[in-house]
Amino acid sequence: MQSNPFEDSADYVQSLARGLQVLRAFDRQLANPSLSQVAERTGLSRAVTRRLLLTFQHLGYVGSHGRSFYLTPRVLELGYSYLSSLDLTELAQQSMALLSERVGESCSMAVLDGSDVVYVLRVPVRRVMSVALGVGARLPAFATSLGRAMLSGLSDAELAGWLRGQKFRHLTPFTLRTATALKAEVRRVREQGYAVASRELEVGLFSIAVPIRAGDGRIVAALNVGMPYSDDAPARAVKLILPALQDAQRSIEHTIQRGGWQPHMAMQGVYE
């Protein structure tokens, strides 16, 4: 094979190139590769592949489950600018923009990463939280409607494992702070198909969320609408906002099923 002159120059960083090779080894057909499979696909030695995978794991871009590895949602930080230019992401943003316009409230899409939800898309209308939220922002999953919507996709055993690793915090007087209470809430989400969080993250906030599923039925993200809390917010959310939220849910899922955005392994590994 003819060598590339730049690759022979002092400006070429071989370790960086090899690291990118390892990240590119993950795809829909090889979402949970073993070390040997990554080495075989990249053509790198097992020793080099192991060091690179462990480095990415240390940095939070790769997770492991037994002998398998998977990408975490943190890799979205590397490619969000590119994702923003894709037609699929534009379609998701359009669905969310229509949703936000229809209900007059902010809406967000997030994925689950360990104990947190990570925002990947957001259409703000007004600021309803003391913390400014944007792409890459993280919030504790146990106290959010987004987190509960995604946790509803875990099996009972997976949910029990996830709960064992949680440190519940007293964020407001209304926060669900025990594994038993959250488990009951997740069961309710499974039955009704949507999740709510009322004054649990901040006293002045109410939110309602639905899961986003891939073509195989796996929950890969969640979509929510957040609004200021009022006495009639829960009833308004279910009666007026939920139908609009479900329309956006169906639109985004249809786009995903046509072969678009799919954060690999967004749910896997969060309960180890």
Side-chain angles (χ1 to χ4, degrees):
M1 180 182 296
Q2 186 175 3
S3 65
N4 185 311
F6 179 74
E7 294 181 8
D8 295 328
S9 73
D11 293 323
Y12 182 71
V13 183
Q14 186 181 60
S15 57
L16 175 59
R18 287 175 170 177
L20 293 175
Q21 275 185 275
V22 166
L23 289 182
R24 290 197 299 269
F26 295 82
D27 59 21
R28 192 169 300 180
Q29 287 71 45
L30 199 63
N32 299 76
S34 65
L35 188 155
S36 296
Q37 288 175 312
V38 175
E40 181 179 358
R41 175 166 284 196
T42 60
L44 301 173
S45 70
R46 283 175 54 89
V48 169
T49 302
R50 178 178 178 276
R51 289 198 299 271
L52 290 169
L53 284 170
L54 292 179
T55 299
F56 282 128
Q57 185 172 13
H58 171 72
L59 295 173
Y61 295 107
V62 168
S64 64
H65 179 55
R67 296 186 177 182
S68 299
F69 294 88
Y70 57 89
L71 297 181
T72 71
R74 179 163 288 185
V75 299
L76 294 175
E77 297 173 0
L78 299 176
Y80 181 73
S81 296
Y82 173 68
L83 286 172
S84 297
S85 70
L86 295 179
D87 290 341
L88 177 65
T89 305
E90 290 174 1
L91 287 171
Q93 288 175 327
Q94 288 171 10
S95 296
M96 290 172 62
L98 290 172
L99 167 63
S100 183
E101 182 179 356
R102 181 174 169 184
V103 302
E105 303 288 358
S106 301
C107 61
S108 307
M109 181 184 287
V111 296
L112 187 64
D113 184 20
S115 297
D116 298 332
V117 296
V118 181
Y119 282 69
V120 294
L121 287 172
R122 181 163 168 78
V123 179
V125 170
R126 57 176 175 265
R127 187 164 170 177
V128 295
M129 292 185 62
S130 61
V131 177
L133 294 177
V135 171
R138 306 174 76 92
L139 292 174
F142 76 90
T144 65
S145 60
L146 288 163
R148 292 169 186 176
M150 287 182 279
L151 289 173
S152 70
L154 299 180
S155 68
D156 287 343
E158 291 169 343
L159 179 61
W162 186 88
L163 288 168
R164 282 195 296 271
Q166 301 312 298
K167 295 181 179 178
F168 294 95
R169 291 168 291 181
H170 192 174
L171 301 174
T172 79
F174 307 97
T175 308
L176 293 183
R177 302 188 296 278
T178 68
T180 299
L182 185 59
K183 189 182 300 183
E185 189 64 24
V186 171
R187 281 198 297 267
R188 188 176 297 111
V189 175
R190 290 173 182 164
E191 294 170 0
Q192 63 192 16
Y194 65 90
V196 299
S198 180
R199 299 180 289 175
E200 296 188 52
L201 194 64
E202 290 194 1
V203 173
L205 177 67
F206 182 92
S207 65
I208 183 168
V210 293
I212 300 296
R213 297 180 182 274
D216 59 4
R218 181 168 55 94
I219 294 176
V220 294
L223 178 69
N224 89 338
V225 169
M227 68 201 82
Y229 176 81
S230 63
D231 289 341
D232 65 347
R236 174 175 173 254
V238 174
K239 183 177 180 180
L240 300 178
I241 291 179
L242 181 59
L245 193 58
Q246 291 170 328
D247 285 345
Q249 174 192 35
R250 286 188 287 269
S251 175
I252 294 170
E253 287 181 342
H254 178 66
T255 302
I256 290 175
Q257 290 166 16
R258 288 189 309 181
W261 176 66
Q262 173 127 340
H264 293 303
M265 311 308 295
M267 294 292 292
Q268 184 159 350
V270 300
Y271 49 84
E272 271 87 51

